[in-house]
């Protein structure tokens, strides 16, 4: 009732401390930017949306995500196969072997980067959103409910005092 009356402008609302309001605004801003950074980093690390959905499902089911071959590793594999077809002794075959080995190392470095970024960057962001932010939201709801209870009690007290004053004036 108190909440509805406040929204309709029929009841007074106890204002929170300006410093606390500032902290709440900063917390909201932190949450919003953390969500955006998390999503965009996931897109950067895995541009394929269907692969991201698959990884998300594995994560929610607490299963290990199967290891994927990176594009660099796949290219290295094709180059090695082509080099074997052309002959490793031919100039083109030697070049394909060299470039293929470099691509394989690049692919392995990319895989390590993705793994490292996931553990060292994305995990803390997820922990904030799933842990700290939930706690902040819960405490915020509790504070809001307590404030509404306080304002409802203030309104009842004000009505009781007005009725008492009216009864004292009327003989």
């Amino acid at each position: 009732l108190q909440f509805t009356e406040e929204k309709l402008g029929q009841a007074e609302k106890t204002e929170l401390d300006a410093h606390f309001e500032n902290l709440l605004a900063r917390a909201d801003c932190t949450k919003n930017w953390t969500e955006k950074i998390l999503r965009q980093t996931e897109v950067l690390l895995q541009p394929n949306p269907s692969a991201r959905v698959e990884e998300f499902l594995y994560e929610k089911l607490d299963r290990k995500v199967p290891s994927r071959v990176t594009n660099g590793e796949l290219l290295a594999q094709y180059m090695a196969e082509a080099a074997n077809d052309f002959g490793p002794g031919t100039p083109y075959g030697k070049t394909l072997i060299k470039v293929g080995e470099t691509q394989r190392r690049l692919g392995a470095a990319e895989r390590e980067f993705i793994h490292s970024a996931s553990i060292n960057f994305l995990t803390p962001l997820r922990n904030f959103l799933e842990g700290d932010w939930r706690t902040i939201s819960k405490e915020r709801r509790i504070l809001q409910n307590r404030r509404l209870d306080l304002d409802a009690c203030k309104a009842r007290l004000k009505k009781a005092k007005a009725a008492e004053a009216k009864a004292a004036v009327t003989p």
Side-chain angles (χ1 to χ4, degrees):
L1 181 66
Q2 178 69 26
F3 180 77
T4 305
E5 287 180 353
E6 285 178 9
K7 290 298 179 187
L8 295 174
Q10 297 172 348
E12 290 182 30
K13 178 180 177 180
T14 301
E15 295 299 324
L16 299 173
D17 180 47
H19 176 68
F20 186 73
E21 289 285 351
N22 184 29
L23 287 175
L24 289 175
R26 285 180 42 204
D28 287 336
C29 186
T30 301
K31 179 215 178 234
N32 292 335
W33 280 110
T34 302
E35 285 176 335
K36 288 177 184 178
I37 290 169
L38 177 73
R39 278 193 307 267
Q40 194 56 43
T41 304
E42 288 172 339
V43 168
L44 175 75
L45 295 177
Q46 178 51 268
N48 184 343
S50 62
R52 278 198 312 273
V53 169
E54 181 182 355
E55 289 172 3
F56 175 77
L57 290 174
Y58 274 107
E59 187 179 303
K60 289 301 174 190
L61 296 172
D62 287 331
R63 295 209 173 149
K64 188 176 184 293
V65 178
S67 183
R68 294 186 192 284
V69 177
T70 64
N71 291 330
E73 291 171 322
L74 188 59
L75 178 60
Q77 182 181 348
Y78 290 162
M79 287 181 169
E81 290 172 9
N84 287 334
D85 278 354
F86 287 113
T90 64
Y92 190 42
K94 286 180 187 177
T95 303
L96 285 174
I97 289 173
K98 255 187 198 178
V99 174
E101 180 57 28
T102 303
Q103 283 297 328
R104 187 194 59 74
R105 288 196 314 264
L106 284 171
E110 180 184 6
R111 178 193 309 278
E112 177 58 31
F113 169 73
I114 290 170
H115 179 71
S116 175
S118 178
I119 290 174
N120 299 320
F121 186 70
L122 294 179
T123 300
L125 294 179
R126 283 190 190 104
N127 288 344
F128 167 74
L129 292 172
E130 294 170 3
D132 296 341
W133 181 253
R134 284 192 179 159
T135 302
I136 291 168
S137 297
K138 178 182 167 192
E139 296 298 328
R140 182 186 255 175
R141 280 190 304 275
I142 291 170
L143 177 64
Q144 177 73 355
N145 289 335
R146 298 290 192 268
R147 187 198 56 76
L148 288 169
D149 291 344
L150 172 67
D151 288 349
C153 289
K154 281 182 178 179
R156 277 192 304 233
L157 179 63
K158 192 175 180 181
K159 285 179 185 177
K161 283 185 179 181
E164 188 178 291
K166 186 177 180 184
V169 171
T170 311

